[in-house]
Amino acid sequence: SRLMEPGVTAFLTLLAGLPYLNSLWNGFVYDDPFQILGNPNLTSFRYLRKILTTTVWAFQGKDISHYYRPMMDLVYLFLLKLFGPQAWIFHSVNVLLNIAVVLVLYQVTKKLFSDPYVGALAAALFAIHPIHSETVAWVAALPDLELTLFFLLAFLFFLNLDSQRCQRAPGWIGAQMAMAGCFTLALLSKEPAATLPVVATLYEHFYRKDRGQTSWSRKTCRYGILWVLCGAYLAFRARFLGAMFGSREKPGLGIVEVILAAPALIGQYAWKLVWPVQLRAYYLFTANLGALGLWVLAGSLVLLAAVFFTKLEWKRNRLLTFGLLWFFATLAPVLNPLWLGANVFTERYTYLPSVGLCWLAAWGLLSAWKSRALKSSALKACLAGVIGIVAILSIRRIVSRNRDWHDDLRLYTQTLALEPHAYWIRNNLGKFYWDAGDAVRAEQEWRQALADYQAAATLNHRLEEERIRRDALLHYHRFPPSAGPLSAPKPEPLAVTPEGEIILANMGMVETKLKQYDQAIGYLKLAILTDSDSVRAHRNLGICYHALGLNAKAEQQLLATLELSPRDPNSLEKLSEVYFDEGRLQEAKDEAAKSLSVVPTLMGFLDLGLAEWRMARSREAENAFRDAAHFDPASGRPHFLLALLYETSGRVAEAQQEYHTGLTIDPSNGEAKAAFQAIQVQIQQSPAAAMP
């Protein structure tokens, strides 16, 4: 066993790393630009307190209590400070963490089953399962990698406690401290870490080999610290963040639907683990009992099979059932759709739970290999061939799946090809076109996203009506009134979820761009009416009012935005422009400087330079425009503004040079081209004008 250890480690390292090598060429996609590049908390170590005491989206004014990921932000902060916003560095960290997870899984399995072959095979199966590709290839899935790594490490140290005879021995104390440290890091990575005390307690009392010879006090001493830390974590969450799992309003989801959703999701996850085809970043979820029916049946069969298997193997090979316990226990937190976002079912949620199924699969394959039915070498060769073909197909699928995460356009179009009514993905596709300067295609996608969203909202409203009518009928039969007919309450009017509010805000933005201001204001006011704390809607309404010349109203909306999100750079930039137009130059300069202190942007430098210039501070304006040119070498605007500044200062030769540089970058700018030609004529007529 010791002789084979280095070879197994090297093999598992290659197996966990090589299939994901092409993910290093991927960029920042989906949530990455918001969580990494647009997060002001990641610009300085002085924001460590905010990282540790607020949720992931708090910087955007969204205090969603069940998204607490300080470990993710800490890793991002260190990577940004050490390497800058280089996507391949972030992808490399994901791949390295996946390798670490596979190697630790090998050690845990070997310790758990006392068999290095089961350990190696289980880790290999985990490494090549295509469903894990989302977790590794997507930068924002880092919390699932961190959670699984620290969860497994903590459990490994917990397993090692059985080898310590004396609780006061240094080895025991060291293992306890290591277990506690890893569990704390797991809790700071993602909420499902809180299932470890449950898993450890059940293992201690029902699965550990020395359970019959160990006192209750000794058993409690092994896992007690996990419960203490979990309690402290929950108290911290309650103090700073509120509920651990914030319940989201989902029309049509009553207690019956929530209960039935659990087996339905189990059925979907089990099927996707067995048959990982048509993988995608977004899966539509509906509360329609008719649509859930088949999956409820499938999930129920999975649960019945698990119960039957546990009863069959409990006395014969009890440890095998621990794999099922691991799977269901770690999957449990994502089986309540009210605790989750719009994407209720998602592939990365299987990363930690699949460990238990890999144990079962590895044990089953090795048992089949050793069974009497496969005595002949020909049958063994067939089994090995089948395993080899499946492994090759799995690795090939991982490599091809990694390409889906290469860029936003590919990710969104691939997802929409499988889920054409996924309005949230279509909304993101519209944002991609908007950022690319294609307002027409952005409007097309956002209109379709809004139509798909309204169709889904209408369906959910109808389901909510049915749920309320059903609940009222049940209540009527259980507690019949003394008089009067049944009168079911009416559901609330069509509610707009956070996803719908963002689509409305985007529609308002594109209508502003197209100068359809009345429609823009209508969309944006509806978004704000739905969610008065919508940073995006307030900001876009401020931009719309500014385009109309209604600076007082624009200022009011932008200040409302900054009250919700004080460090929103886009709002600070736009407020600087509003103050500039009103002649409030010092305030314009201050807001531009604030935006640059949060996140440096081209517009921030330009706004600062324009304010300085209007305040007759030419040197400071020149420096700001120079900083803008250095910040974005692909933009000609800083050079054109420098040229105007030099031209008005009589520095004709320098103006000529800046116009030339700017037109080299942006040759289509007609105004700059005309000004450049005028300067050339001026120099030809008066060569002395070109002299410094």
Side-chain angles (χ1 to χ4, degrees), residues 406-630:
H406 182 269
D407 56 71
D408 279 334
L409 181 60
R410 179 163 186 153
L411 176 65
Y412 298 150
T413 52
Q414 184 273 343
T415 305
L416 288 170
L418 298 173
E419 289 282 9
H421 299 295
Y423 52 83
W424 184 241
I425 297 298
R426 195 170 294 281
N427 170 75
N428 291 348
L429 181 59
K431 182 65 167 58
F432 170 82
Y433 288 130
W434 175 265
D435 292 339
D438 192 343
V440 175
R441 295 194 70 175
E443 182 188 19
Q444 291 174 353
E445 296 299 335
W446 281 334
R447 285 195 182 280
Q448 184 61 50
L450 187 59
D452 289 337
Y453 170 78
Q454 289 173 335
T458 302
L459 173 62
N460 289 334
H461 190 261
R462 181 175 61 78
L463 294 174
E464 181 71 2
E465 285 184 318
E466 293 175 0
R467 183 187 70 80
I468 291 176
R469 191 178 298 110
R470 181 199 66 212
D471 291 349
L473 185 63
L474 289 174
H475 183 80
Y476 179 83
H477 286 298
R478 290 182 61 193
F479 307 101
S482 56
L486 173 65
S487 178
K490 296 291 183 182
E492 295 293 328
L494 276 175
V496 181
T497 64
E499 295 78 20
E501 168 262 314
I502 292 175
I503 297 173
L504 289 169
N506 286 339
M507 281 299 300
M509 182 169 60
V510 76
E511 294 292 359
T512 300
K513 177 77 172 179
L514 298 173
K515 299 184 179 181
Q516 302 294 327
Y517 299 118
D518 289 341
Q519 293 92 322
I521 291 173
Y523 282 124
L524 294 168
K525 284 188 173 181
L526 179 57
I528 293 172
L529 185 65
T530 302
D531 181 5
S532 60
D533 293 337
S534 171
V535 171
R536 190 184 308 254
H538 280 294
R539 181 178 63 233
N540 291 353
L541 185 55
I543 293 171
C544 182
Y545 282 141
H546 182 238
L548 283 167
L550 303 174
N551 289 333
K553 288 188 174 183
E555 179 184 1
Q556 181 184 15
Q557 293 300 323
L558 293 170
L559 288 175
T561 302
L562 292 171
E563 186 176 345
L564 295 167
S565 181
R567 293 175 295 146
D568 181 55
N570 295 327
S571 299
L572 290 167
E573 288 174 8
K574 186 54 65 175
L575 188 59
S576 173
E577 295 173 19
V578 170
Y579 288 150
F580 183 85
D581 289 348
E582 291 185 325
R584 299 158 63 178
L585 301 178
Q586 184 60 47
E587 292 172 277
K589 173 193 168 184
D590 292 342
E591 296 304 321
K594 286 179 187 177
S595 74
L596 291 172
S597 69
V598 176
V599 178
T601 63
L602 175 65
M603 284 307 303
F605 285 117
L606 296 181
D607 290 341
L608 179 62
L610 288 169
E612 296 280 18
W613 188 3
R614 184 71 68 84
M615 295 169 71
R617 301 176 60 175
S618 299
R619 178 63 61 84
E620 289 78 2
E622 179 182 357
N623 291 336
F625 294 148
R626 287 286 178 202
D627 290 339
H630 178 73

Side-chain angles (χ1 to χ4, degrees), residues 282-349:
Y282 197 96
Y283 294 80
L284 284 173
F285 176 81
T286 177
N288 190 341
L289 294 179
L292 286 178
L294 183 61
W295 288 116
V296 171
L297 176 60
S300 300
L301 291 176
V302 170
L303 289 169
L304 286 174
V307 171
F308 178 77
F309 181 82
T310 300
K311 185 177 180 180
L312 184 67
E313 296 291 337
W314 187 253
K315 292 184 179 180
R316 187 169 56 184
N317 201 344
R318 180 180 302 191
L319 192 58
L320 278 180
T321 66
F322 183 68
L324 293 174
L325 169 66
W326 182 288
F327 174 74
F328 289 113
T330 55
L331 189 66
V334 297
L335 297 181
N336 185 344
L338 294 179
W339 290 351
L340 307 171
N343 201 4
V344 172
F345 176 91
T346 188
E347 295 161 16
R348 64 185 180 278
Y349 292 163

Side-chain angles (χ1 to χ4, degrees), residues 3-4 28 50 87 91 124 126 179 212 225 268 299 360 437 441-442 448 461 474 523 541 581 587 635 644 652 689:
L3 291 175
M4 65 178 281
F28 291 119
K50 286 187 175 292
H91 285 290
F126 184 92
M179 178 183 70
I225 186 63
Q268 291 180 65
L360 289 174
R441 295 194 70 175
Q448 184 61 50
H461 190 261
L474 289 174
Y523 282 124
L541 185 55
D581 289 348
E587 292 172 277
S635 175
L644 283 171
V652 180

Side-chain angles (χ1 to χ4, degrees), residues 10-220:
F11 172 72
L12 292 176
T13 298
L14 293 174
L15 205 58
L18 286 181
Y20 292 100
L21 197 61
N22 65 331
S23 70
L24 303 186
W25 282 264
N26 292 352
F28 291 119
V29 299
Y30 209 176
D31 289 342
D32 299 343
F34 303 103
Q35 291 188 335
I36 301 171
L37 306 181
N39 187 347
N41 291 339
L42 305 183
T43 59
S44 173
F45 286 104
R46 69 176 181 269
Y47 298 126
L48 283 175
R49 187 178 183 278
K50 286 187 175 292
I51 290 174
L52 293 172
T53 58
T54 60
T55 58
V56 165
W57 296 106
F59 70 93
Q60 287 195 335
K62 299 176 182 178
D63 194 14
I64 305 174
S65 63
H66 53 287
Y67 286 137
Y68 179 59
R69 311 279 190 271
M71 280 300 298
M72 177 186 76
D73 280 350
L74 288 173
V75 170
Y76 290 162
L77 175 59
F78 277 98
L79 292 179
L80 284 171
K81 289 301 178 184
L82 289 174
F83 306 103
Q86 299 187 61
W88 74 272
I89 293 290
F90 289 78
H91 285 290
S92 298
V93 170
N94 275 28
V95 175
L96 290 174
L97 285 174
N98 184 58
I99 293 171
V101 167
V102 170
L103 294 179
V104 174
L105 174 57
Y106 166 60
Q107 296 297 331
V108 169
T109 311
K110 187 173 65 169
K111 175 70 178 178
L112 187 64
F113 287 88
S114 301
D115 189 337
Y117 295 101
V118 175
L121 185 54
L125 292 173
F126 184 92
I128 64 172
H129 203 300
I131 204 171
H132 297 156
S133 55
E134 175 180 287
T135 309
V136 186
W138 183 25
V139 172
L142 176 67
D144 293 276
L145 290 160
E146 295 172 325
L147 163 69
T148 305
L149 176 61
F150 296 127
F151 196 103
L152 286 171
L153 280 171
F155 190 69
L156 178 61
F157 288 118
F158 169 72
L159 291 177
N160 286 332
L161 292 176
D162 66 356
S163 62
Q164 305 297 331
R165 294 181 177 276
C166 178
Q167 296 182 14
R168 297 181 180 179
W172 176 284
I173 297 173
Q176 281 272 359
M177 292 180 63
M179 178 183 70
C182 290
F183 180 51
T184 301
L185 294 176
L187 287 170
L188 296 177
S189 299
K190 203 171 182 182
E191 290 79 5
T195 60
L196 180 58
V198 176
V199 171
T201 301
L202 293 175
Y203 177 81
E204 183 66 43
H205 289 282
F206 296 101
Y207 293 96
R208 198 187 283 270
K209 291 180 181 179
D210 63 356
R211 62 186 180 278
Q213 297 78 40
T214 307
S215 65
W216 269 79
S217 61
R218 179 73 176 270
K219 291 177 180 178
T220 306

